[in-house]
Amino acid sequence: MFSKACEYGIRAVTYIAMQSMEGRRVSLNEIAEKIDSPTAFTAKILQQLSRNRIIGATKGAYGGYGMVRSNIDKTTLDQIVTAIDGDYIYAGCGLGLKECNADKPCPVHDKFVEIRDNLKQMLQSTSLYEMTLGLETGLTYLKR
């Protein structure tokens, strides 16, 4: 459902948020290693997230990527997905057809609309802070 860039973006932002809550900024190389993502690809994703003000980037010896606590609390998965993939996930066809709507539906249109609406609700109601909770306790993981 999500692009590979979006998958890595969600994992990267979650890792950055967790480290930021501990008062740490993290480097590109550390993020790429911790989320099992190619470094150059991760750099492009982080640039996009920084441009969309999801994360902060600081250059220099004490630089790196980070987030302020208030942003961790209020940032939702929807904002991350939209920053990377746009809103296509909420409008695209379940079978990937260029044109699919109620007037000209694909064979799974009606069922997929419900799935898409549930996904949107979940992404809009899940905060980045919630994503970090399982990581801190070891119940969830960002890398296989």
Side-chain angles (χ1 to χ4, degrees):
M1 282 202 119
F2 301 122
S3 69
K4 194 52 110 173
C6 191
E7 290 173 6
Y8 286 143
I10 292 169
R11 290 174 12 201
V13 173
T14 304
Y15 181 74
I16 292 166
M18 188 178 78
Q19 296 306 309
S20 294
M21 290 190 323
E22 295 175 8
R24 291 187 64 234
R25 288 193 161 279
V26 287
S27 70
L28 167 62
N29 289 334
E30 179 181 344
I31 296 165
E33 191 272 319
K34 294 295 184 181
I35 68 168
D36 199 22
S37 170
T39 305
F41 193 42
T42 304
K44 290 179 183 180
I45 296 165
L46 295 176
Q47 274 184 333
Q48 199 167 354
L49 291 165
S50 180
R51 275 194 304 269
N52 282 278
R53 297 193 170 122
I54 304 286
I55 60 172
T58 305
K59 295 180 180 182
Y62 298 102
Y65 296 92
M67 296 182 75
V68 295
R69 178 58 196 253
S70 61
N71 284 352
I72 294 169
D73 292 337
K74 69 180 182 181
T75 301
T76 63
L77 287 179
D78 172 66
Q79 291 169 295
I80 299 165
V81 170
T82 302
I84 297 171
D85 281 352
D87 64 354
Y88 176 77
I89 194 165
Y90 304 129
C93 173
L95 296 179
L97 301 177
K98 290 179 183 177
E99 190 174 324
C100 175
N101 54 46
D103 295 330
K104 192 174 179 183
C106 75
V108 297
H109 179 80
D110 293 332
K111 291 181 181 183
F112 195 69
V113 167
E114 183 179 343
I115 292 167
R116 205 172 43 217
D117 290 345
N118 288 337
L119 176 64
K120 185 174 187 174
Q121 192 280 324
M122 184 275 295
L123 293 173
Q124 290 176 335
S125 66
T126 303
S127 73
L128 191 50
Y129 176 73
E130 290 176 73
M131 296 284 290
T132 66
L133 294 177
L135 293 171
E136 290 177 2
T137 61
L139 295 175
T140 59
Y141 303 91
L142 292 175
K143 184 177 174 181
R144 291 171 229 159

